[in-house]
Each structure stands twice: as structure tokens, then as C-alpha cells.
Amino acid sequence: MLVDAHLDLAYTALEFGRDLRRPLAELRQAEQKQPTSNGIPTVSLPELQKGGVNLVFSTIFLEPVSKRSALASQKMNYHTAVEAHQKAHQQLDYYHRLADELEQVVLVGDTAVLQDLLTSQESDTPQLGLVPLMEGADAVRHPAELEEWWARGLRLIGPAWDDTRYASGAWRGTRAGFTSDGFLLMEVMADLGFILDLTHLSELAAQEALERYDGTVVATHSNCRALVDHVGQRNLSDAHIRLLGERGGVMGIVLYNRFLKQGHMKGERRELVTLDHVVAHIDHVCQLLGTADHVGIGSDFDGGFGWADIPSELNSVADLSLLGDKLQERGYTAVDISNILGQNWIRLLQRTWAK
């Protein structure tokens, strides 16, 4: 079983009107006539199951309206915390509807459901598990309401995408970190058992989270700054990767060409980036930490980019297993490959939810 630690399923469904229950070929055919700003789609529920990707950290993502509009979303953007709260619940409702309407889809939030999901992989009807992840915490109007979000199934929170009132984001190159509200947010998150996602935090905010957060810390979709530094603080420094490993966290490698190859920009020829670039980031983490136990996949497929901006060997999310062949070529053992493709994330969830 493969695990993808970052897919914007609800965002792409609600922002672009994609019916993710349909086969990918149908989605692509429909968007040939009416293209979206998100590029050629690479993800659908049937495509995930076709590729054996049966556990996904499924995001609640909204774009803040600001002078710098990276994705230029319309339906899923917000001006205020109240608006963010409302639209975030729409996305969480979307995941609940999938689980209610599709027998093979289940929301995963504890060890019992996770074990049922793992057991189902040996049957003729393997389930697809979704672990809700909030990317940017402005939808939390006050830390006191985190208990409500937990009860509805949210299990991971990334305090920032762009700047939020809780923490500074990586995009703007700021030297700021967490706010006073942000430190309170971390306290309540830890008390409830939330996993904190470092991805998109500014340099200082990531350092503060690694030093001060009492719960589990991960980076669901971050690459190595030592290999690609033209995206500034968005990729993790070696120092933060080391601290993440010391904290027992896992880092998901993003399969976005701009984050994989130094100097590569969105829209450049996809043939210039291959799975060798992905393996280079994985290998850097493994060499830095001396183990393959703290790295996995967080593809971010269809997260503001499409088919034209993923490694050239890949056509869709169903091809993620090809990464295993590349790792084998580099001398990784079967156990290491299994860990990188999913078991590292599964063990982290088991360990966190067993507390």
C-alpha cells in the first residue's frame, strides 16, 4: 500500500468542479473542452486505487486574498476568518460525503480505523483512507474551537500556507515566526493530539515549532533546500530536516518539477525533470539522517500544477510505484522502499494515535 501525504482533493473538486469519482480519462476529456487554470489533471479516486495509493492526507486548503495571489482561486479563497471557517467546513463536508456515499472510502482518524484499512488491502475490495489535513489555519477562528474540528475528523494542521494570524509563511521570505495566538494554537493542538505540519512555515516559525511543539511534527510536502534553493524558505534546510528526524517526524517529497530541479520554473519542458531528481531528494534526507525511516511521498499532485509539471516518467498518481524501481536501482533495500512508499507514514500515525 502506498501513502500520499498531500493531495488537495476537496479544493480541486470544489474550485474546478472536478468529479473525482470519475475515471481520470473522463476528467481529462472534459477539460480539453473547458481547461482550468490548474493544468491537466493527474488525480481521481479510481486512479488512486488503480495505483495502490490507498491512504491519502486529504487537505482543507483555501487561498487567502492578498496582493500576491499565487493560484488565483475564486470559489475557495477568503478575506476573513469567518469566511475561511465556512469554506473550510465545506471542504471537510466534501470528505464526509465521499465516505458516506462511497463504500470503499473511509475517513481515518484512529488506530482502529487505520487497522481496518490495512486489513482491507488484503481483500478484493481495498478501501481508500482519507486523513483530513488543514493547510493554513486561518479557518480556526480561535484555538478553543479546535475540539470541534477534531470531533469532525481533522487530524493534521499546517499553521500557515501564506501568512496567517497564527504564523508567518515561507513564501514572503519574512524573518517573523509564530504570533502569540499561534503559540496558543500549538498548545491546544498538542493537548488534543493534532499532528503539526511544518510545510509552508517561515524559517523562524519552523524552528519554533520544532523546538516548542509537544506533539508529533511532520512536513507533508517539502523538499530539500540543499538541492533546490530558488524557492527560498519553501524547501527545508538541512538543519530543520535533522531536527525533524530527531523528533521522529516524516518528510514527504513533493513531485512538482519546480521544487525538484534547481532553477526549473513552472511551464518548462517536463522532460527536463525525471524520477532521478525525486530520488536525489529522498537520498539527501536518508544520507543526512543515516536512515530511510523519516522520508516519504507528499506529491501535492494537482495542487496548483498539473501533468505538464510533474516528472517526465509519470502520467498520473497511479504511477507513484515507479519510484520504487528507481530506489531499487540506487541500492535501496525492499524494506527501505516499503518504508519510503508508505510504511513510514503508517507507523507515524499508529504511534501518534496510540498515545
Side-chain angles (χ1 to χ4, degrees):
M1 185 174 81
L2 277 71
V3 178
D4 192 328
H6 199 93
L7 287 176
D8 296 332
L9 301 178
Y11 174 83
T12 55
L14 299 178
E15 178 66 33
F16 303 109
R18 290 178 179 169
D19 184 353
L20 298 180
R21 297 169 297 181
R22 296 169 63 188
L24 184 62
E26 293 183 10
L27 295 181
R28 287 180 171 178
Q29 185 175 22
E31 293 193 16
Q32 280 183 344
K33 300 174 182 177
Q34 292 182 310
T36 74
S37 61
N38 212 45
I40 298 170
T42 62
V43 177
S44 72
L45 301 187
E47 201 73 5
L48 284 165
Q49 294 196 290
K50 173 183 172 183
V53 185
N54 287 103
L55 182 62
V56 170
F57 295 6
S58 46
T59 75
I60 297 168
F61 169 70
L62 304 169
E63 184 182 356
V65 176
S66 65
K67 293 180 180 178
R68 183 193 181 283
S69 185
L71 301 178
S73 65
Q74 299 296 321
K75 298 175 184 176
M76 290 293 116
N77 61 21
Y78 66 94
H79 294 82
T80 66
V82 172
E83 191 175 9
H85 181 267
Q86 176 190 10
K87 293 184 176 183
H89 270 294
Q90 289 176 14
Q91 293 192 20
L92 188 52
D93 288 344
Y94 172 80
Y95 294 129
H96 278 276
R97 284 198 305 275
L98 287 180
D100 290 342
E101 296 172 3
L102 301 177
E103 187 175 353
Q104 75 271 28
V105 176
V106 60
L107 293 184
V108 181
D110 58 48
T111 54
V113 177
L114 178 59
Q115 185 55 52
D116 288 343
L117 174 72
L118 297 175
T119 301
S120 79
Q121 305 309 307
E122 306 303 322
S123 72
D124 294 332
T125 56
Q127 292 180 315
L128 170 62
L130 307 179
V131 184
L133 155 67
M134 182 179 286
E135 184 176 14
D138 271 342
V140 180
R141 294 170 298 184
H142 188 278
E145 72 180 27
L146 280 173
E147 191 169 357
E148 167 200 337
W149 285 103
W150 180 272
R152 292 216 63 217
L154 186 66
R155 290 297 180 267
L156 299 94
I157 297 176
W161 178 74
D162 199 347
D163 291 350
T164 64
R165 67 185 180 282
Y166 295 114
S168 294
W171 288 121
R172 298 176 186 271
T174 177
R175 295 185 179 181
F178 275 83
T179 65
S180 56
D181 284 344
F183 288 120
L184 176 59
L185 180 82
M186 284 200 287
E187 289 179 18
V188 180
M189 282 175 57
D191 288 342
L192 291 169
F194 281 101
I195 297 170
L196 188 150
D197 186 1
L198 296 175
T199 309
H200 285 288
L201 287 175
S202 70
E203 188 80 358
L204 178 57
Q207 184 72 25
E208 290 172 336
L210 286 162
E211 291 177 348
R212 301 179 61 162
Y213 190 62
D214 289 335
T216 300
V217 183
V218 300
T220 61
H221 59 307
S222 295
N223 290 358
C224 305
R225 195 182 306 170
L227 302 183
V228 174
D229 64 6
H230 73 274
V231 293
Q233 297 181 23
R234 177 60 182 83
N235 283 346
L236 292 186
S237 68
D238 283 357
H240 286 164
I241 294 171
R242 287 192 186 95
L243 284 173
L244 182 63
E246 290 173 8
R247 293 288 312 273
V250 178
M251 173 178 171
I253 299 302
V254 188
L255 305 188
Y256 176 28
N257 290 349
R258 185 181 173 216
F259 293 171
L260 288 168
K261 182 176 184 288
Q262 178 63 30
H264 191 92
M265 301 303 291
K266 185 177 181 181
E268 287 194 62
R269 291 189 300 117
R270 72 193 302 264
E271 293 79 11
L272 297 174
V273 184
T274 70
L275 287 177
D276 288 326
H277 291 91
V278 182
V279 171
H281 284 266
I282 293 172
D283 192 61
H284 184 80
V285 176
C286 294
Q287 297 301 325
L288 199 64
L289 301 180
T291 177
D293 292 345
H294 300 285
V295 65
I297 299 171
S299 76
D300 203 16
F301 276 177
D302 293 348
F305 59 94
W307 173 88
D309 288 288
I310 67 176
S312 56
E313 299 96 327
L314 305 180
N315 180 56
S316 76
V317 72
D319 298 324
L320 290 181
S321 63
L322 296 178
L323 185 55
D325 298 332
K326 279 290 181 183
L327 288 166
Q328 187 177 30
E329 290 176 13
R330 288 289 294 269
Y332 280 79
T333 68
V335 171
D336 286 341
I337 293 169
S338 176
N339 286 340
I340 292 166
L341 294 185
Q343 289 302 312
N344 286 337
W345 288 118
I346 291 169
R347 282 198 304 273
L348 180 136
L349 294 178
Q350 290 170 330
R351 184 176 72 246
T352 301
W353 293 340
K355 294 178 181 178

